[in-house]
Amino acid sequence: MKVIVINRKHGGSRSFELGRWSRALLSLCCLGLPLGMVAVGYLAGMQSEASSLRGQSVDAMADELAQQSEDLDALKGEAELKLQALTHSLAELQARMTRIDALGEHLTAMAELDQGEFDFSQPPAVGGPIGGEFSVDYSSMGLSGEIADFSRRLSDREQQLAILESLLSNRKLEDQAWLSGRPVEKGWVSSGYGRRNDPFNGRPAFHHGIDFAGKAGSDVLAVAGGVVTWSGERSGYGNMVEITHGDGLVSRYGHNQKNLVEPGDVVRKGEPIALLGSSGRSTGAHVHFEVYKHGRSVDPSSYVRRTRRR
């Protein structure tokens, strides 16, 4: 194989004759160079594509992490709001429980129960055998649901206690207005109700009350709750206290050494209203006890004997 090289500038030429090995080397160069360039381009393209894929993967992971972070922040905020709501609900339930405890103690005092029978300052006594280890379905124990159920039960208890308080208050008022018992703690009946001889002139006369003799200066007690409608001197009675009890009932307490109440005062059953004495038309220390019903005097004995409301 002969290769001729022509020089354009000088117009000359030179020829080379290639042998078998030279032709093989030239053929290899002519064919290998394009193939090498193709291979290098392919490898470069592969590396570029891999780099691009790696970049896209990293970007996708970064976006996913950012989204997860946002979701986590949202869940955290929602959990904090729920916790605040539960804390507020729990505070309200505690306040309601405090009111129920106070109401329970008040009702215990009103009902005059034995001390310690209902102690609202202590937790309720509970007990029972231990349950099975796997007997509780924890999946159904939602805290919000438990608080709502507890709130409903508290509302029921509050309503029941309020009704009980109303009933006890009404019963207390009725008991206070119920005439019963004696107007003195210690003493004896010195004169009964009805006809008798007048202690001053000996003539027959009607005695409109019962006389309880006792120690001068001892307490004269209200036989029922009511409003004082008279407190002062009255002809024949000396120092007298009159109490109106409602339902047309009025009680009078005469010959007192000293009155302890004034008109308009509200008195309770068993409260001292005067000191036993001998003022007015009297022969000794005693209290003249009268009961009027709808303006007419009645025998106080029936009221003295009924010491308890039935």
Side-chain angles (χ1 to χ4, degrees):
M1 179 178 182
K2 182 180 290 186
V3 178
I4 300 174
V5 179
I6 300 174
N7 189 339
R8 292 182 178 179
K9 184 176 181 180
H10 301 286
S13 63
R14 295 183 66 183
S15 61
F16 301 93
E17 186 173 353
L18 300 177
R20 183 176 60 182
W21 290 106
S22 299
R23 290 195 304 270
L25 181 60
L26 181 60
S27 299
L28 181 60
C29 291
C30 293
L31 294 176
L33 183 60
L35 290 175
M37 293 179 64
V38 171
V40 170
Y42 175 76
L43 291 175
M46 290 293 292
Q47 290 179 353
S48 176
E49 184 177 359
S51 177
S52 177
L53 290 176
R54 284 196 300 270
Q56 293 177 0
S57 178
V58 170
D59 293 340
M61 291 179 64
D63 293 340
E64 185 176 357
L65 289 175
Q67 184 63 41
Q68 290 179 354
S69 179
E70 292 179 0
D71 294 342
L72 183 60
D73 291 339
L75 289 175
K76 183 179 179 180
E78 184 178 355
E80 289 179 352
L81 291 177
K82 288 184 177 180
L83 181 59
Q84 292 176 1
L86 291 176
T87 302
H88 181 69
S89 299
L90 183 59
E92 289 183 348
L93 293 178
Q94 289 174 340
R96 291 173 62 185
M97 182 61 73
T98 301
R99 289 196 298 268
I100 288 179
D101 288 343
L103 180 58
E105 292 177 0
H106 176 60
L107 295 181
T108 300
M110 289 181 61
E112 298 179 353
L113 300 175
D114 293 337
Q115 186 175 5
E117 183 176 354
F118 288 93
D119 190 354
F120 285 86
S121 64
Q122 299 294 329
V126 296
I130 188 171
E133 183 178 359
F134 301 103
S135 61
V136 181
D137 182 12
Y138 290 99
S139 62
S140 62
M141 295 180 63
L143 183 57
S144 299
E146 291 293 321
I147 290 181
D149 183 63
F150 184 43
S151 177
R152 286 192 295 269
R153 284 184 289 166
L154 276 180
S155 297
D156 293 339
R157 298 299 183 273
E158 287 175 336
Q159 184 177 8
Q160 292 171 2
L161 286 175
I163 294 174
L164 180 58
E165 181 185 28
S166 176
L167 293 175
L168 287 175
S169 297
N170 292 336
R171 191 184 75 180
K172 278 287 185 181
L173 291 175
E174 292 175 356
D175 290 343
Q176 282 290 320
W178 182 256
L179 269 71
S180 62
R182 294 154 53 97
V184 291
E185 291 183 354
K186 295 180 180 180
W188 52 280
V189 177
S190 57
S191 181
Y193 178 85
R195 291 191 176 273
R196 68 171 186 177
N197 292 328
D198 188 278
F200 288 94
N201 57 31
R203 297 175 183 175
F206 195 89
H207 189 224
H208 291 278
I210 295 178
D211 293 338
F212 289 89
K215 182 179 178 180
S218 58
D219 289 336
V220 176
L221 309 175
V223 296
V227 179
V228 177
T229 51
W230 180 280
S231 178
E233 290 191 18
R234 192 156 182 172
S235 177
Y237 290 90
N239 291 326
M240 188 195 78
V241 172
E242 180 182 86
I243 301 176
T244 299
H245 307 284
D247 292 331
L249 289 172
V250 176
S251 61
R252 291 178 177 176
Y253 312 80
H255 307 304
N256 302 320
Q257 181 185 101
K258 180 182 179 180
N259 295 343
L260 303 179
V261 293
E262 299 292 337
D265 288 349
V266 177
V267 297
R268 297 175 61 85
K269 185 181 182 70
E271 179 181 341
I273 57 174
L275 300 180
L276 190 141
S278 184
S279 62
R281 199 167 183 266
S282 171
T283 61
H286 74 286
V287 58
H288 175 75
F289 177 53
E290 293 182 351
V291 175
Y292 283 79
K293 187 171 185 179
H294 300 297
R296 299 170 63 93
S297 68
V298 296
D299 189 353
S301 299
S302 59
Y303 297 100
V304 172
R305 288 194 296 268
R306 61 174 186 178
T307 58
R308 172 181 290 180
R309 181 176 176 85
R310 301 186 183 279

